[in-house]
Amino acid sequence: MLTRVCFLRHATAQEYELGLADADRQLTDKGLRQVRAVASFCERQSLRPDVLLTSPLLRAVQTATVLSQHLRDCPPPETVDWLRIGTPTAEAWRAVQARQARQEGALWLVGHEPQFSDLISRLLGSATPIVQVKKASLSCVELDADTLQHGQLLWSVPCALMG
């Protein structure tokens, strides 16, 4: 049996130069448009999470919330600390494994770079990054549900191609 883990990198957020703490940076108008475009794309393609997990950083929470508000039958986001910036890849990998062991269906994660590139690469069997995840892009990895090893990248769609 196969399972899917999808990665949605947060949309465009306020710049660092504004003097805000990184955790407090929120989505810009462009970022809000990007998330609505992702939701519209997912609606057209019949893509929906069974579980939607997000980093606790504001821009990720906003991305997940706007997605769930604009994508029909999308579950509300659940905030998890292991998706925050700086979580070691091995720790995030164990958290994905533990979560998938408890549930069936598509697990969607909303988070950050470089964590997503590292984690996707790990799921694909590489110890070093072999992908780069752009803002507001959606990527999907398919894994054997029993071992959660040696995944296959099914697709990765940047927001610019979702319109």
Side-chain angles (χ1 to χ4, degrees), residues 40-122:
S40 179
F41 172 81
C42 290
E43 193 70 47
R44 290 190 309 274
Q45 301 301 319
S46 298
L47 299 171
R48 284 180 182 70
D50 293 302
V51 175
L52 180 61
L53 303 180
T54 184
S55 158
L57 277 67
L58 181 57
R59 60 192 176 275
V61 170
Q62 287 178 317
T63 298
T65 300
V66 172
L67 177 74
S68 71
Q69 291 170 342
H70 288 86
L71 179 59
R72 190 177 17 185
D73 298 324
C74 182
E78 177 185 334
T79 302
V80 292
D81 270 348
W82 58 266
L83 280 172
R84 79 173 45 251
I85 293 174
T87 300
T89 301
E91 182 180 332
W93 169 239
R94 286 190 301 273
V96 168
Q97 289 176 310
R99 189 62 188 234
Q100 284 300 85
R102 302 194 322 252
Q103 62 145 79
E104 289 186 25
L107 175 64
W108 285 32
L109 310 175
V110 179
H112 313 275
E113 275 295 285
Q115 285 78 10
F116 272 5
S117 292
D118 292 344
L119 185 54
I120 291 170
S121 298
R122 175 76 179 260

Side-chain angles (χ1 to χ4, degrees), residues 7 9 112-121 124 128-139 153 155-158:
F7 297 81
R9 183 174 172 199
H112 313 275
E113 275 295 285
Q115 285 78 10
F116 272 5
S117 292
D118 292 344
L119 185 54
I120 291 170
S121 298
L124 298 177
T128 59
I130 56 174
V131 298
Q132 183 179 23
V133 181
K134 300 292 186 187
K135 289 179 185 166
S137 68
L138 186 62
S139 305
L153 181 64
W155 42 264
S156 185
V157 183

